[in-house]
Amino acid sequence: MAQFCKEFNERSEKLYNKDTPLGVRLTALSDRTFQFDIRSPPTSFLVLRAAGLTKGTSNPNPEAEAIGHITPEQVYEIARIKQKDDMRWHIPLDGIARSVIGTARSVGVAVREHEEDTEEKVDEEVETDPEKLGY
């Protein structure tokens, strides 16, 4: 177990920020050896980070008001990150982007082209840089 933790930390520190949750596929063999693959962060984490949020909605109703917004460019950047996973390399980028939009809806984040003029306009910038998204 200690060997896995050491190798995981070595491999993941080059790819991701320390506070980024990651998926791992671990294969333990009978001779006490192991193999593991590090996967990209969960889509919901990337969507919330891009929207500048730390927590999703408690009411995942698509008709409810969105708690945050991301742009189509951010959707495609997240889709590119997710496409690098072993299980998604064969899926077209548009299909992964549609999945990202569905996940965004379920966490209360809307996808829109430009910031609409509202009284509650947020002044802070949303992230599009993959490194700042945790990748």
Side-chain angles (χ1 to χ4, degrees), residues 33-49:
T33 60
F34 59 88
Q35 298 173 343
F36 67 96
D37 295 320
I38 299 175
R39 298 184 178 170
S40 64
T43 305
S44 58
F45 174 81
L46 295 172
V47 166
L48 291 171
R49 177 76 59 95

Side-chain angles (χ1 to χ4, degrees), residues 3 5 13 17 22 34 38 42 51 63 68 79 87 102 114 127-128 130:
Q3 183 65 27
C5 291
E13 74 182 352
N17 296 335
L22 300 173
F34 59 88
I38 299 175
E63 295 164 5
M87 299 184 319
H114 297 286
E127 288 301 329
T128 57

